[in-house]
């Protein structure tokens, strides 16, 4: 564990990046670049559980904190990546407080939660550090709930109030699409949604997070109270770099 949750609770601004490629090499490169956290995307990203494990291993020696986005709030999906050694879990498409509570409970052992207890897993150094991990997981593991449906906007205060929910995270493309205003970042409905989400998080003493639609708009979201901020991805970095290099060469003809 690398102390990210404590920094968030103090109100620090922490920067993250998406890992879409399922590559341990690109994960390591991004991890060494200085980001406070990275998101191994197991919902939309490439690769299987095997690649998730390899990416977590590649990130181990870097300063960045690895979070994994799972496909759903079912506890079995969350347990699996926690056992691999994820320091936090992002759960997509949460509609209600009941769903958010199930996700939060999946991060914790009984009696407070629903997580199954396994000693011989990577998270516990294959049993060598089990007791320390068991005792500290509540204070260290980060629970990130995505706000990206119209229904979730009706339950923000209840979701934010749940113990174990540490971050309310806007999924801008999904949320704007759900509102019928896809990618219209200045639309009054989208502005109202991000303002409402930030207010609910701050009132509950939690963090508000977002994947920036445009990094140049950092100040706008910062001023609204967003402190858990992501921009870019390993896939995007390679895609943009390759296209820019080709354009540069073609222009020399």
């Amino acid at each position: 564990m690398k102390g990210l949750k404590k920094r968030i609770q103090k109100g620090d601004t922490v920067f993250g990046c998406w890992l879409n490629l399922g590559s341990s090499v690109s994960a390591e490169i991004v991890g060494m670049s200085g980001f406070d956290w990275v998101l191994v995307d197991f919902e939309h990203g490439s690769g299987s559980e095997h690649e998730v494990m390899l990416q977590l291993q590649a990130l181990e020696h870097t300063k960045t904190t690895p979070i994994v986005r799972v496909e759903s709030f079912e506890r079995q999906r969350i347990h699996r990546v926690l056992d691999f050694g994820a320091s936090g879990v992002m759960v997509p498409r949460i509609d209600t407080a009941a769903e958010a509570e199930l996700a939060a409970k999946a991060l914790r052992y009984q009696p407070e939660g629903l997580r199954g207890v396994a000693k011989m897993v990577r998270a516990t150094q294959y049993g060598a550090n089990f007791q320390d991990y068991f005792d500290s997981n509540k204070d260290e593991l980060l629970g990130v709930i995505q706000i990206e449906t119209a229904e979730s906007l009706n339950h923000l205060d209840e979701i934010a109030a749940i113990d174990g929910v540490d971050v309310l995270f806007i999924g801008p493309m999904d949320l704007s699409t759900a509102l019928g205003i896809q990618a219209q970042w200045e639309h009054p409905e989208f502005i109202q949604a991000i303002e409402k989400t930030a207010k609910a998080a701050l009132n509950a003493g939690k963090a508000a997070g977002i994947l920036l639609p445009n990094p140049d708009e950092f100040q706008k979201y910062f001023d609204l109270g967003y402190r858990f901020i992501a921009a870019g991805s390993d896939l995007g970095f390679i895609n943009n770099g390759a296209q820019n290099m080709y354009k540069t060469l073609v222009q020399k003809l």
Side-chain angles (χ1 to χ4, degrees):
M1 303 296 182
K2 301 178 182 180
L4 183 70
K5 184 169 180 174
K6 290 181 174 62
R7 290 186 60 195
I8 291 169
Q9 290 171 338
K10 288 194 312 181
D12 289 356
T13 300
V14 293
F15 294 111
C17 172
W18 247 237
L19 298 178
N20 296 121
L21 292 174
S23 165
S24 59
V25 175
S26 66
E28 186 175 38
I29 291 170
V30 172
M32 293 190 296
S33 69
F35 284 101
D36 300 296
W37 58 275
V38 292
L39 191 285
V40 178
D41 191 356
F42 194 37
E43 182 191 19
H44 293 302
S46 302
S48 64
E49 287 183 343
H50 177 67
E51 281 73 35
V52 171
M53 169 80 89
L54 294 178
Q55 288 174 87
L56 293 174
Q57 289 175 321
L59 291 163
E60 183 70 25
H61 73 92
T62 73
K63 293 182 179 180
T64 194
T65 297
I67 299 166
V68 177
R69 178 161 70 173
V70 293
E71 306 102 310
S72 69
F73 63 85
E74 280 85 358
R75 64 183 180 85
Q76 294 89 344
R77 309 309 308 154
I78 295 172
H79 290 183
R80 188 71 169 152
V81 298
L82 290 178
D83 284 351
F84 285 171
S87 296
V89 174
M90 180 181 286
V91 186
R93 302 190 62 80
I94 290 293
D95 284 326
T96 66
E99 291 178 354
E101 186 168 18
L102 285 173
K105 285 184 176 296
L107 271 76
R108 295 182 176 176
Y109 295 113
Q110 299 181 69
E112 295 175 310
L114 300 169
R115 183 180 175 185
V117 182
K119 294 182 70 173
M120 304 298 288
V121 294
R122 182 175 178 273
T124 68
Q125 297 178 352
Y126 303 101
N129 194 40
F130 170 75
Q131 198 58 51
D132 285 345
Y133 180 85
F134 184 90
D135 293 340
S136 66
N137 81 100
K138 176 182 174 181
D139 297 325
E140 296 285 351
L141 293 179
L142 193 69
V144 183
I145 297 299
Q146 284 204 265
I147 304 301
E148 51 185 358
T149 70
E151 182 64 22
S152 65
L153 297 174
N154 297 321
H155 306 285
L156 290 172
D157 290 333
E158 303 98 293
I159 292 172
I162 294 170
D163 187 25
V165 171
D166 301 302
V167 182
L168 298 187
F169 193 91
I170 294 285
M173 186 59 77
D174 271 303
L175 182 58
S176 64
T177 300
L179 295 174
I181 50 172
Q182 187 178 81
Q184 297 179 48
W185 313 128
E186 301 303 321
H187 193 285
E189 282 190 61
F190 186 75
I191 297 297
Q192 182 182 42
I194 63 175
E195 289 177 344
K196 186 177 179 182
T197 301
K199 183 178 179 181
L202 295 173
N203 286 345
K206 309 297 177 66
I210 191 165
L211 175 61
L212 292 178
N214 182 343
D216 293 336
E217 294 187 333
F218 164 78
Q219 194 63 47
K220 177 177 78 173
Y221 291 98
F222 181 84
D223 290 344
L224 287 172
Y226 285 81
R227 298 292 183 268
F228 189 83
I229 296 174
S233 68
D234 56 353
L235 188 155
F237 299 147
I238 293 174
N239 191 39
N240 292 337
Q243 291 186 30
N244 289 337
M245 180 57 71
Y246 177 74
K247 291 175 183 177
T248 299
L249 293 172
V250 168
Q251 289 171 0
K252 295 182 182 298
L253 290 175

